[in-house]
Amino acid sequence: MTAARGRGRPRDPETDSAILRAALELFIERGVEGTSIEQIAKRAGVGKLTVYRRWSTKEDLIAQAVEQTVSADMVPTPGEVRDLAPQDIVERALKTAAETTASPAFRALVARMMGAAVSHPRLMAVYWKHHVLPRRELAAAMLRRAQQEGTVAADADLDVLIDMMAGAVTWRVLQPDPPDAAAMLGYLKSVYRQVGLYRDAD
Amino acid sequence: MTAARGRGRPRDPETDSAILRAALELFIERGVEGTSIEQIAKRAGVGKLTVYRRWSTKEDLIAQAVEQTVSADMVPTPGEVRDLAPQDIVERALKTAAETTASPAFRALVARMMGAAVSHPRLMAVYWKHHVLPRRELAAAMLRRAQQEGTVAADADLDVLIDMMAGAVTWRVLQPDPPDAAAMLGYLKSVYRQVGLYRDAD
């Protein structure tokens, strides 16, 4: 290990994941303003330079840490979008989406990410580019198919529709008395039904 | 002044507004975690006890400071809801709503309020009760009237619809490349059109 590290700084996956885990924990506990590369290095049990070798700013590091966490979400894969009806995609994703979005970890992350959006725009910019935007493109593809099938209005502004869906969920989980997974399941059905992406069983 | 203050601590409106202004500035600059009653007192040029006499926690103080700032918003007065068609209310409010929500101050406030929602739930709870909830009730009354008039679906979940409208706007202003007032005007029309509260001019 020591010898290998000497040659051209190969990346150690375990070190990377310890750093990412520490970054995520500190971000949730203290927000972006209360978190420093130094604290992240200390909690991960590595030197500050080890972190800087991999990430040049704490915003990039935190953005990647958040990306790796938010894996189960409400957006389909490219294959699903190609092969399945939009309502079937939504139906299949609902249970996991409800569990994810009702979890305390999701609420805490949403609050911290939104809280950093104006004071630390680079964090949101990196997260937007690498995480949000690809998912929005898949959601838009699904909505276009629903437009062709007539369940979403042909003249609807899809970017606005996506904001309305994502915005409703993120705003709902930050309100007092946030829903548990069962209540969130009903909530998501309501949101998708309103947009034209959910049909009630006969 | 000194004599008057000695008798039963009458409230001095100028002192109150200096404290509220200082609380708002510090909250926007540093977030709830970076703001203390001590710093607020110092910036307002008053003693710490003067602040504590009026507000028992920084969350209550910040919530009131935010409430006083967010005055022009997208929700009608009770009189307008009673007397006007929902589409006319929306039409009249659009320009001010676009200017307010596109302003840097609004973006900063939204980010800070959402950022504090999980770490400092009391702040959101106070703001929710005194500011958000009364406005949601007016919005719901407007939506019920639109349901009677047939532009909003009779079976729509109004709480979800309100979340979709408010959530879209708050999420949009936190995204990279936020809209200016002109772009926001078009955005708001899209949101209200989608819900059934905006009709394009013939």
Side-chain angles (χ1 to χ4, degrees), chain A:
Chain A
M1 281 292 280
T2 313
R5 284 199 179 173
R7 285 185 280 119
R9 301 171 188 154
R11 298 185 54 138
D12 172 358
E14 279 181 37
T15 302
D16 278 12
S17 72
I19 294 170
L20 288 165
R21 200 166 49 239
L24 187 75
E25 285 174 11
L26 284 163
F27 177 55
I28 287 180
E29 285 168 28
R30 306 178 190 178
V32 64
E33 276 146 334
T35 302
S36 67
I37 292 266
E38 229 159 340
Q39 292 167 336
I40 294 168
K42 194 178 165 195
R43 184 167 298 193
V46 303
K48 211 166 72 169
L49 282 180
T50 306
V51 180
Y52 274 118
R53 235 178 260 143
R54 294 161 163 83
W55 293 275
S56 52
T57 71
K58 70 173 173 180
E59 285 88 346
D60 291 81
L61 169 49
I62 292 172
Q64 192 179 339
V66 173
E67 275 168 55
Q68 297 206 346
T69 311
V70 189
S71 54
D73 57 20
M74 289 152 287
V75 177
T77 65
E80 287 176 328
V81 170
R82 196 183 51 235
D83 301 332
L84 299 175
Q87 285 80 1
D88 293 332
I89 295 172
V90 167
E91 180 71 45
R92 282 160 58 139
L94 271 173
K95 195 160 166 285
T96 304
E99 280 161 9
T100 302
T101 53
S103 72
F106 180 83
R107 297 181 62 227
L109 261 186
V110 166
R112 291 302 190 189
M113 286 301 291
M114 296 204 152
V118 175
S119 61
H120 294 74
R122 180 165 175 81
L123 174 54
M124 181 61 87
V126 174
Y127 184 68
W128 180 266
K129 183 178 168 190
H130 293 289
H131 182 88
V132 181
L133 212 51
R135 282 162 181 74
R136 286 178 74 95
E137 281 163 13
L138 288 170
M142 189 169 74
L143 286 166
R144 278 192 297 272
R145 189 161 161 177
Q147 283 180 315
Q148 288 161 7
E149 294 177 4
T151 64
V152 170
D155 62 350
D157 182 325
L158 301 190
D159 277 321
V160 169
L161 272 194
I162 293 169
D163 284 352
M164 289 177 85
M165 293 189 282
V169 173
T170 48
W171 173 219
R172 180 65 190 92
V173 301
L174 299 185
Q175 293 168 13
D177 195 18
D180 62 15
M184 188 50 108
L185 187 65
Y187 187 88
L188 292 175
K189 286 179 184 174
S190 256
V191 169
Y192 288 125
R193 189 185 293 117
Q194 177 65 32
V195 168
L197 285 179
Y198 181 76
R199 58 170 170 242
D200 292 285
D202 295 323

Side-chain angles (χ1 to χ4, degrees), chain B residues 22-44:
Chain B
L24 189 75
E25 285 173 12
L26 284 163
F27 177 55
I28 287 180
E29 285 168 28
R30 306 178 190 178
V32 63
E33 276 146 333
T35 302
S36 67
I37 292 267
E38 230 157 338
Q39 292 168 336
I40 294 168
K42 195 178 164 194
R43 185 168 295 195

